[in-house]
Amino acid sequence: KEKAYLNIDPKVALHAIRKRRVGWMYVQFLTKRWLERMFAQGYELEYVKGMSFYFKPRESACISYEILNEKPKNSAALLFYSESGWTAKHLYSSLMWHISIWSKPYEVGEVKPRITYEQKERLKSLRRGLVNTNVLSVLFILAMSLNISNSLNQMQNSYMPYPYSLGLLILSIIVIMFWLWVFIQSVYGYMQEKKEAQEI
């Protein structure tokens, strides 16, 4: 799929500007806004591989980015997007996640294009991303909460090395803070995207 739809030019890839963004798939609204800011600064997304975003110097007058949370039923769905003028920048599919990033250039004065104007379809994709992210967030927060409780018990009973217990406690707190941030941002992003979808 990458070879067929991403159209990565080896020469461009060698000179692309790479930016890393950890956990971008969990905060897709912020990721899309970040891509728009990069474009405003003169950098256009070329392709994404894992946590690495590769940019080339801006060539388009304006550009629209879309992040979808859906598994294409077959390659015909991808071909339909391509024939509609959209370019795939990232395709990823696993048991839980089905994420793709698309872009489409447009001219100044034109209406910003959307990959789908069907409100029901847009909201369905948004809800799928929200549910997946929040399920992971809750699981990690619960797991780290148990770690914190265990670490405090170990420090009180002193049957485990103190540095180990303290390190586990600090790590658990950091992970909880990260996933709380992800949870809040995913809900905020969903509300913003929902508002935009209803305005289309």
Side-chain angles (χ1 to χ4, degrees), residues 18-30:
R18 185 176 70 174
K19 298 280 186 180
R20 291 189 181 276
R21 194 168 178 87
V22 179
W24 64 268
M25 69 287 296
Y26 306 124
V27 286
Q28 295 170 23
F29 178 76
L30 293 183

Side-chain angles (χ1 to χ4, degrees), residues 51-65:
M51 296 183 297
S52 299
F53 286 69
Y54 294 85
F55 295 87
K56 63 181 179 180
R58 174 175 165 175
E59 297 177 351
S60 308
C62 302
I63 201 162
S64 177
Y65 290 109

Side-chain angles (χ1 to χ4, degrees), residues 80-96:
F80 173 76
Y81 294 149
S82 298
E83 291 177 345
S84 301
W86 291 88
T87 303
K89 300 300 182 180
H90 179 70
L91 297 169
Y92 176 78
S93 184
S94 66
L95 185 62
M96 186 173 184

